[in-house]
């Protein structure tokens, strides 16, 4: 089964919780706080494995969660950080955030790695909260939640040459005649439903050729095999445009040429500048000569290679011409532009980090905001000292005053994240 697009859920590991502990050793009076910090949660890391060819494994496992860090312990012992979760993907995988449509990573080389979902930092132990006014705090933090996101994975085959053209123009026949690949060949449209790869061996030079499913008008909008086809063209270094010069299906070769290039351009403007070789196939059919003459008159500046994939006429000369052109081109395939990891933030917020919003759901006041919701998750509300610290931070952020302005009164219910409590003026 060839699978080239999936949607999955990934979550970095939560950080370990900080510890509340005090030294209780003989001959050490008033030993003081000794709670260690929690360990860092593991990252979800994608690693390219050249032994994989499709995304079929992700059809059966759609959730990936990295392990959480260990909790802090007494005697100021920090919890151990968790190991990263390594997920193997095939070369040519593009990873896209499903919510923001940001390209997170474009993975093309064996062994290449990318952090897809970051683990949370460990919570601080009570040793970290010592100050002159509170020398023995009973405060610790919960671990920071790991980053979670839904991502879309797209596989774009890495091939040197991509065969494009309308259905039944002879792309599969051409591939089978020059490689050991055995694509399905039949006298009906859309015989090829998935890309086929083959290696062309020219002695001192070799290259990978891909037979891609047939393209029709409207493919850039998903008509026919649409995006399933066009996605793979983006990665090829050279486009070989195969045309049925005999017009067996009653189409005009010149119109076919224009329509295919129009679909490539509408899908991705960069494909317009991709090097292209035009191949006139089925030249063993009598009508092909007259059609080729008219084709060259309409496109006098385009070099056309005349072949018959069925009889192998002109095929070897075409392969050498492709090899010569590839020798002058960069070896690396085109890749998507990816924001540097240092510039990408885990939590997105259009406003300032301290900003929050207050809304009403029936009789409940709902406070939402990046910092305040994260603070709730990391506060151990079972501790009186920690709860007092949380209330103090809320006041300093202006949440109390904002609630009063919105009409909150003593005893009204306030919700922040999953926490609900009674408002007290």
């Amino acid at each position: 089964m060839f699978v080239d697009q999936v949607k999955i859920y990934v979550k970095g590991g939560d950080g370990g919780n900080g510890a509340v502990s005090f030294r209780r050793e003989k001959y050490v009076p008033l030993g003081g706080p000794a709670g260690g910090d929690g360990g860092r949660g593991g990252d979800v890391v994608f690693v390219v494995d050249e032994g994989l060819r499709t995304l079929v494994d992700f059809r059966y496992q759609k959730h990936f969660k990295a392990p959480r860090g260990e909790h802090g312990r007494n005697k100021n012992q920090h919890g151990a950080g968790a190991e990263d979760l390594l997920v193997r993907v095939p070369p040519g995988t593009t990873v896209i955030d499903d919510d923001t449509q940001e390209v997170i990573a474009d993975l093309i080389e064996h062994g290449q790695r990318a952090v897809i979902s970051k683990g949370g930092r460990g919570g601080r132990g009570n040793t970290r909260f010592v100050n002159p006014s509170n020398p023995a705090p009973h405060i610790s933090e919960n671990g920071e939640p790991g980053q979670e996101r839904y991502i879309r994975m797209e596989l774009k085959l890495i091939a040197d040459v991509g065969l494009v053209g309308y259905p039944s123009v002879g792309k599969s026949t051409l591939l089978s005649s020059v490689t050991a690949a055995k694509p399905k060949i039949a006298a009906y449209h859309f015989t090829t439903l998935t890309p086929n790869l083959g290696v062309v061996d020219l002695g001192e030079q070799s290259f990978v050729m891909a037979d891609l499913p047939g393209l029709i008008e409207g493919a850039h909008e998903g008509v026919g095999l649409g995006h399933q086809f066009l996605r793979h063209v983006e990665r090829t270094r050279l486009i070989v445009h195969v045309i049925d010069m005999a017009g067996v299906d009653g189409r005009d070769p010149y119109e076919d040429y224009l329509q295919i290039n129009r679909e490539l351009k509408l899908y991705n403007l960069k494909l317009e500048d991709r090097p292209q070789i035009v191949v006139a196939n089925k030249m063993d059919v009598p009508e092909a000569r007259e059609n080729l003459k008219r084709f060259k008159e309409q496109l006098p500046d385009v070099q056309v290679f005349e072949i018959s994939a069925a009889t192998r006429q002109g095929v070897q000369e075409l392969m050498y011409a492709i090899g010569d052109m590839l020798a002058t081109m960069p070896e690396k395939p085109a890749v998507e532009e990816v924001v540097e990891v240092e510039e990408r933030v885990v939590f997105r917020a259009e406003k300032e980090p301290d900003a929050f919003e207050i809304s009403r759901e029936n009789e409940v006041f709902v406070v939402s905001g990046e910092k305040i919701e994260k603070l709730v998750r990391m506060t151990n509300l079972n501790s009186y000292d920690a709860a007092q610290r949380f209330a103090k931070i809320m006041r300093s952020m202006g949440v109390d005053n904002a609630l009063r302005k919105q009409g909150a009164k003593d005893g009204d219910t306030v919700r922040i994240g999953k926490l609900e409590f009674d408002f007290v003026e």
Side-chain angles (χ1 to χ4, degrees):
M1 181 190 299
F2 184 84
V3 178
D4 60 358
Q5 187 172 26
V6 293
K7 179 180 176 181
I8 66 172
Y9 168 84
V10 293
K11 184 182 186 303
D14 297 339
N17 298 336
V20 174
S21 178
F22 296 89
R23 293 182 64 184
R24 293 181 177 85
E25 300 175 40
K26 193 174 183 179
Y27 307 122
V28 185
L30 305 175
D37 299 342
R40 180 191 64 85
D43 298 334
V44 178
V45 181
F46 281 12
V47 184
V48 178
D49 184 344
E50 62 185 4
L52 300 178
R53 284 292 176 265
T54 77
L55 300 173
V56 67
D57 292 343
F58 298 94
R59 277 283 181 91
Y60 306 106
Q61 183 179 356
K62 290 182 174 289
H63 288 73
F64 295 85
K65 295 183 180 181
R68 75 172 302 159
E70 288 188 1
H71 299 321
R73 295 187 289 271
N74 57 6
K75 297 184 179 178
N76 286 320
Q77 297 179 80
H78 296 339
E83 293 186 358
D84 295 335
L85 175 63
L86 303 181
V87 181
R88 299 187 308 144
V89 298
T93 300
T94 302
V95 185
I96 303 167
D97 188 300
D98 197 54
D99 294 322
T100 66
Q101 302 306 311
E102 173 193 6
V103 177
I104 303 170
D106 200 2
L107 306 168
I108 60 172
E109 297 178 355
H110 178 66
Q112 185 179 353
R113 296 184 172 215
V115 176
I116 305 302
S117 189
K118 290 177 178 286
R121 68 172 177 84
R124 293 175 291 177
N126 66 332
T127 306
R128 303 286 191 178
F129 295 96
V130 173
N131 58 56
S133 62
N134 189 2
H138 286 260
I139 302 173
S140 67
E141 285 181 332
N142 295 330
E144 179 184 23
Q147 181 188 16
E148 53 184 325
R149 67 201 322 177
Y150 282 94
I151 62 171
R152 191 172 76 253
M153 301 169 63
E154 295 182 353
L155 177 62
K156 302 175 184 178
L157 288 181
I158 298 178
D160 299 303
V161 179
L163 300 177
V164 304
Y166 265 89
S168 299
V169 296
K171 301 186 298 296
S172 297
T173 304
L174 176 58
L175 181 72
S176 65
S177 68
V178 295
T179 73
K182 302 297 179 185
K184 185 177 180 180
I185 301 173
Y188 55 85
H189 289 180
F190 295 110
T191 311
T192 303
L193 298 177
T194 61
N196 293 296
L197 292 175
V199 178
V200 178
D201 187 1
L202 299 178
E204 296 183 356
Q205 185 185 16
S206 63
F207 54 85
V208 177
M209 179 179 286
D211 166 27
L212 302 169
L215 185 63
I216 61 176
E217 185 176 356
H220 70 281
E221 297 177 339
V223 177
L225 294 175
H227 293 173
Q228 289 90 330
F229 159 78
L230 288 164
R231 181 182 307 117
H232 302 292
V233 183
E234 291 181 289
R235 200 74 82 181
T236 58
R237 297 163 55 200
L238 174 65
I239 295 174
V240 173
H241 190 162
V242 183
I243 299 173
D244 174 10
M245 197 55 67
V248 173
D249 291 329
R251 293 194 309 269
D252 180 8
Y254 175 70
E255 290 299 326
D256 283 4
Y257 171 83
L258 296 180
Q259 186 60 49
I260 293 295
N261 282 319
R262 188 179 301 120
E263 293 298 330
L264 294 175
K265 178 181 177 180
L266 290 172
Y267 179 74
N268 188 336
L269 276 174
K270 294 180 181 178
L271 293 178
E272 186 180 22
D273 300 324
R274 193 69 49 86
Q276 184 177 127
I277 288 180
V278 178
V279 176
N281 192 24
K282 302 186 182 181
M283 292 304 297
D284 55 314
V285 180
E287 292 82 358
R289 285 291 162 194
E290 186 63 30
N291 290 339
L292 179 61
K293 180 181 178 182
R294 288 197 301 270
F295 185 86
K296 288 184 175 181
E297 289 174 355
Q298 292 167 310
L299 296 169
D301 298 329
V302 175
Q303 182 181 8
V304 181
F305 289 84
E306 304 173 28
I307 71 165
S308 170
T311 64
R312 297 183 59 84
Q313 169 194 339
V315 171
Q316 194 66 20
E317 292 78 3
L318 172 63
M319 293 303 108
Y320 282 118
I322 292 173
D324 292 341
M325 184 171 288
L326 288 174
T328 65
M329 298 167 58
E331 291 190 4
K332 277 199 171 184
V335 296
E336 296 286 347
E337 294 183 5
V338 181
V339 180
E340 293 295 330
V341 174
E342 291 78 10
E343 298 178 9
R344 190 184 305 117
V345 295
V346 173
F347 297 99
R348 292 185 173 275
E350 296 181 358
K351 304 182 180 69
E352 294 297 321
D354 286 350
F356 58 87
E357 293 181 354
I358 297 176
S359 58
R360 291 284 294 270
E361 290 185 6
N362 298 323
E363 300 301 319
V364 178
F365 290 86
V366 180
V367 182
S368 57
E370 175 189 332
K371 182 175 180 179
I372 191 70
E373 292 181 22
K374 182 177 175 182
L375 180 64
V376 169
R377 294 194 297 266
M378 296 186 67
T379 299
N380 179 11
L381 295 170
N382 293 323
S383 164
Y384 175 80
D385 287 1
Q388 291 298 307
R389 174 176 176 268
F390 173 70
K392 182 179 179 181
I393 293 175
M394 280 186 57
R395 285 193 296 272
S396 68
M397 290 178 63
V399 177
D400 286 10
N401 289 334
L403 284 168
R404 291 190 190 98
K405 290 180 181 179
Q406 293 295 322
K409 295 183 175 56
D410 191 20
D412 287 345
T413 301
V414 177
R415 183 167 71 236
I416 305 176
K418 295 182 179 180
L419 171 67
E420 285 194 359
F421 58 92
D422 293 336
F423 180 69
V424 180
E425 291 192 73

